[in-house]
Amino acid sequence: MARVFGSFALLVLAFSIANATDHSPLQDFCVADTNAQVLVNGFACKNPSSVQASDFFFSGLHMMANTSNRLGFGAKLVSVTQLPGLNTLGISMARVDYAPWGINPPHTHPRATEILTVLEGCLEVGFITSNPENRHITKVLYKGDVFVFPVNLIHYQRNAGNTNAVAIAALSSQNPGVNPIPNVVFGSNPDISTDILAKAFQTTDDVVSNIQFKF
Ligand SMILES: *[C@@H]1O[C@H](CO)[C@@H](O)[C@H](O)[C@H]1NC(C)=O
C-alpha cells in the first residue's frame, strides 16, 4: 500500500512539474485586480474578502463565435481578461467555431499547451516540430476526439466538412497569447523589410509586397 501510494505521489509530482506553465498559486486564489497600479507578472490580487462568485464566472460559450470572415473561423477566448478568477491558476479556455472548410491558420501560443475537443463536425489538425526535423504531425478528428498541441509549436485546424464545426480548447496559461504566423511575418508594425522576407522565403520583392499589402 505504502509503495503504491509512493508511486502515486511520484507520478503526481512528475505531472505537476511537467505540466505547470504559469507559476503555481501560493494561496487559494488571486482574483485579478485589473485596476491595480502595481505591475507584476500577471495581475495583483483583489482583497480576498471582497471577492464574489462573479469573479470566478463567465457566461456566453453557448453562443457561436462569428465566422463571417475570409478564414471562416472565430474563437471566443475565456482567459484572465474575461474571467479574473483565473489569475495565477495557469489555465484558460476557448470556444472555436469553423464555417464549412474554414481554417484557423498556422499559429503558436507562446505560453500554453492546448488540448482541443471536437464537439461537432470534422477537423483536420496538425502541428510542426522544431528544427531540424520540422515533422508535420497531422490527424483528422471527429466529434468527441481530443488532440493536444504542445506549447509553442506551430499548429492549425481546418474544418474538413460541409457543416459547421465547433471545438472547445483548454490552454495551460491564464494568458496563452497567440502569434498567427501570416500576421506576425507579413503584417508586423512597422513591416519587416520586403527584401529580408524575399530572401527568407526565396521569392521576389513583388510577391512579398503583395502579401504584405493584404495584411
Ligand atoms: C460578423 O462579422 C462580420 C465581419 O466583421 C460583420 O459584418 C457581421 O455583422 C458580424 N455578425 C454578427 C452576428 O456579429
Side-chain angles (χ1 to χ4, degrees):
M1 186 65 192
R3 258 182 68 186
V4 171
F5 182 75
S7 327
F8 179 70
L10 255 182
L11 195 70
V12 168
L13 189 68
F15 271 90
S16 63
I17 290 167
N19 290 348
T21 292
D22 293 348
H23 287 192
S24 303
L26 305 174
Q27 59 262 310
D28 279 356
F29 52 76
C30 168
V31 171
D33 179 353
T34 49
N35 298 317
Q37 296 301 304
V38 57
L39 300 179
V40 293
N41 187 21
F43 292 99
C45 309
K46 262 191 185 174
N47 184 337
S49 63
S50 68
V51 156
Q52 305 293 329
S54 58
D55 289 315
F56 300 92
F57 173 81
F58 175 89
S59 179
L61 286 198
H62 59 302
M63 308 275 285
M64 76 176 282
N66 189 343
T67 60
S68 302
N69 51 58
R70 64 184 179 82
L71 297 173
F73 154 79
K76 283 189 163 179
L77 180 65
V78 186
S79 69
V80 68
T81 310
Q82 292 78 23
L83 205 167
L86 289 177
N87 194 36
T88 76
L89 296 183
I91 195 166
S92 59
M93 67 180 296
R95 172 183 172 139
V96 195
D97 287 278
Y98 311 82
W101 303 100
I103 65 157
N104 183 0
H107 63 282
T108 70
H109 300 295
R111 293 174 288 277
T113 288
E114 171 177 349
I115 184 164
L116 185 90
T117 306
V118 180
L119 299 186
E120 290 296 341
C122 169
L123 292 183
E124 174 188 348
V125 306
F127 67 84
I128 319 297
T129 69
S130 52
N131 270 357
E133 291 82 8
N134 298 139
R135 183 170 166 209
H136 181 193
I137 295 180
T138 179
K139 186 151 178 65
V140 175
L141 308 179
Y142 300 92
K143 185 173 181 164
D145 291 353
V146 178
F147 199 82
V148 65
F149 303 103
V151 60
N152 233 320
L153 298 188
I154 293 182
H155 60 283
Y156 67 88
Q157 297 106 33
R158 166 160 70 175
N159 180 355
N162 293 320
T163 59
N164 286 340
V166 56
I168 291 285
L171 298 128
S172 63
S173 169
Q174 67 177 36
N175 179 25
V178 61
N179 286 316
I181 305 307
N183 303 61
V184 298
V185 175
F186 293 102
S188 64
N189 185 18
D191 275 342
I192 300 175
S193 292
T194 302
D195 56 319
I196 294 179
L197 291 181
K199 197 175 259 188
F201 284 87
Q202 301 186 48
T203 186
T204 61
D205 287 13
D206 281 357
V207 169
V208 171
S209 316
N210 188 27
I211 301 175
Q212 283 176 322
F213 179 72
K214 290 175 178 150
F215 288 91

